[in-house]
Amino acid sequence: MGVVAIVVSLLLLMFFAYRGVTVLLLAPIMAALAVILSGEMSLLLPFYTSTFMPALAGYAMNFLPIFLLGALFGRLIADSGAAHTLSKWIVRVVGEKHAVVVVVTACALLTYGGVSLFVVAFAVYPIAKDLFQSANVPKRLIPASIALGSFTFTMTALPGTPAIVNAIPIKYFGTNSFAAPGLGIIAALIMAGGGLWWLQTRVAAARKSGEGYGHHVDDEDANPGEVVNTTELPVWQALLPLLMVVGVNALFTYAVFPNVDLGFMQEAFPKLNLATSVGLWSLIVALAVACLMLVVMRLRHWADLKATVNKGVFGFMLPLFNTASEVGYGAVVASLAGFTLIKNAVLNVSPNNPLISEAIAMNVLSGITGSSSGGLSIALEALGPDYLRMAEQAGISPDLLHRVAVLAAGGMDTLPHCGAIITLLAICKLTHRQSYANIAAVTMLFPMTALVVVIALGTVFGSF
């Protein structure tokens, strides 16, 4: 019954999320249902106050500054006229028919540069919206375009990607973020090429049917009389803030913090983990600097700077708490006895072939938790040493184990209840019904294809 409870609650969560029910209410209800069906109703309130809420609060505490500054940055980009300038410039340079390619490329460059995918979604959405309007491409394809550039090949495949999911296997396999670079590049090409092909065929079909961008009241301050900021800036001024996020982030990550003695911080805060904090600090500094630069650069040209700042700050709360609520649901499910049975079952599939077993385990656990990093962490914590032992016996390189694990974690993680997908749709003001089919195609179909190809090539040729 424990397994049935988890499956039923998960299916209902995906169903109602797809139907547009808010996850803020849906996640705790489905978590409670899982507890009740598991026969642990007497522990329902402790599960809520001691598992669900701490997980939700912990996520919000850790990522609040990223969501807040990311939302503010996106609003400043939009209201300064930078988004309009960049979209018009891109259309002039590459042509309207390449709107999807431009959005995917912009997201890929930012995420591969170390910018959080949530920040990228906040920052790129205003540009994508303006660009898709200019190109008359359906708005419903924006989430899939952002997801392809942010949630796929730059997260799991490209060598050296700073995504957290690419760092998790290092401590289990003794590898590094550049593990199996050749196979990673092949996987990235499959994901990027297949995803772009899919989206371009959708664009062509929409143009043939005369669909167009569509009519959307899509801002959090929706106002039918509102006029879009059509201010034309010098292109360098519009581009500089985006480059600043990547540049300052890299500067503090690789040059400033590593070369500064931070021992005084450790003395003042004995529990501080500098290794995990520096990356977050670098991103916070980069976003703060970019926001400040935008404000100063357009200081005498804001229509209403106070209103812009307020709208940006208010806009972060729904995406943050949507995702945090999903994390709370995952924490409750992971603490149920039925989850242990599921975990043990998937981790022992095909024990004679660690690559296949590993791929299935990562996909299943990432799908259940709705998180690539969550599923990967659970799987490797439980069986990472065993996978390494099995690989050594089979003559399989730890680098290949690393790359397969990361690619697999990015396969089924984007089911409808995935916090990142819910956040992306909230940012774009679209529903699962409008956009999820295309998101699923680019974030599951082609990544799974890439995973199969990498396993086949790795089995025949080894790691390269």
Side-chain angles (χ1 to χ4, degrees), residues 2-3 65 101 118 123 148 226 257 277 286 321 351 378 392 399 419 427 433 441-442:
V3 174
V101 176
F118 295 110
L148 176 58
E226 183 179 5
F257 285 133
S277 299
F321 283 99
I378 292 170
E392 290 174 348
D399 285 350
I427 291 171
R433 185 185 294 274
V442 301

Side-chain angles (χ1 to χ4, degrees), residues 82-93:
H84 179 78
T85 297
L86 286 173
S87 64
K88 292 298 183 184
W89 175 71
I90 291 169
V91 168
R92 288 195 299 268
V93 172

Side-chain angles (χ1 to χ4, degrees), residues 97-450:
K97 66 179 182 179
H98 299 299
V100 169
V101 176
V102 170
V103 171
V104 172
T105 302
C107 291
L109 290 173
L110 288 171
T111 51
Y112 195 47
V115 180
S116 163
L117 58 89
F118 295 110
V119 174
V120 170
F122 277 119
V124 172
Y125 169 64
I127 299 172
K129 182 178 69 171
D130 214 8
L131 181 59
F132 274 49
Q133 280 181 310
S134 299
N136 204 28
V137 174
K139 184 191 174 185
R140 61 183 174 82
L141 295 178
I142 290 179
S145 300
I146 293 176
L148 176 58
S150 304
F151 302 175
T152 60
F153 59 95
T154 59
M155 184 179 77
T156 64
L158 287 179
T161 174
I164 184 62
V165 70
N166 190 42
I168 290 172
I170 293 175
K171 74 172 184 177
Y172 298 98
F173 299 148
T175 52
N176 59 57
S177 62
F178 291 88
L183 290 170
I185 290 173
I186 291 172
L189 291 174
I190 293 172
M191 293 184 208
L196 285 171
W197 169 81
W198 176 274
L199 291 175
Q200 294 289 34
T201 60
R202 301 304 93 200
V203 171
R207 282 183 172 148
K208 186 176 180 179
S209 65
E211 179 180 349
Y213 179 80
H215 176 70
H216 304 273
V217 182
D218 56 4
D219 289 328
E220 60 268 14
D221 56 329
N223 181 354
E226 183 179 5
V227 178
V228 176
N229 190 337
T230 57
T231 302
E232 287 281 352
L233 309 178
V235 173
W236 69 267
Q237 282 191 17
L239 190 59
L240 186 59
L242 290 175
L243 297 177
M244 187 62 64
V245 173
V246 178
V248 173
N249 186 17
L251 177 66
F252 276 81
T253 299
Y254 300 111
V256 177
F257 285 133
N259 295 306
V260 174
D261 184 6
L262 301 177
F264 69 96
M265 294 184 179
Q266 197 77 68
E267 293 176 3
F269 297 91
K271 295 183 180 180
L272 178 65
N273 187 334
L274 288 174
T276 58
S277 299
V278 165
L280 182 63
W281 294 344
S282 298
L283 186 53
I284 291 173
V285 171
L287 285 169
V289 169
C291 288
L292 182 61
M293 170 182 288
L294 269 167
V295 170
V296 173
M297 195 165 56
R298 303 293 299 163
L299 194 55
R300 297 183 180 181
H301 303 281
W302 293 101
D304 189 340
L305 179 57
K306 183 177 71 174
T308 292
V309 170
N310 286 342
K311 285 183 283 187
V313 171
F314 294 154
F316 93 95
M317 289 184 284
L318 180 60
L320 172 62
F321 283 99
N322 274 337
T323 308
S325 192
E326 271 291 334
V327 171
Y329 168 82
V332 171
V333 167
S335 65
L336 296 175
F339 188 78
T340 302
L341 298 177
I342 296 174
K343 180 179 69 176
N344 291 335
V346 298
L347 291 178
N348 287 286
V349 171
S350 185
N352 295 324
N353 190 330
L355 294 180
I356 295 176
S357 173
E358 182 183 50
I360 293 174
M362 306 307 164
N363 266 295
V364 171
L365 290 171
S366 295
I368 290 175
T369 59
S371 166
S372 57
S373 58
L376 185 60
S377 297
I378 292 170
L380 292 183
E381 187 65 32
L383 210 59
D386 290 326
Y387 278 139
L388 185 58
R389 174 183 51 79
M390 293 163 61
E392 290 174 348
Q393 292 175 350
I396 295 174
S397 167
D399 285 350
L400 181 55
L401 271 185
H402 177 126
R403 190 53 54 206
V404 168
V406 175
L407 289 172
M412 300 296 292
D413 61 318
T414 50
L415 289 171
H417 65 295
C418 170
I421 298 302
I422 291 170
T423 297
L424 175 60
L425 290 172
I427 291 171
C428 296
K429 300 299 181 294
L430 291 167
T431 66
H432 282 76
R433 185 185 294 274
Q434 291 171 304
S435 299
Y436 183 71
N438 289 300
I439 294 174
V442 301
T443 62
M444 288 194 284
L445 176 61
F446 298 107
M448 292 292 286
T449 302

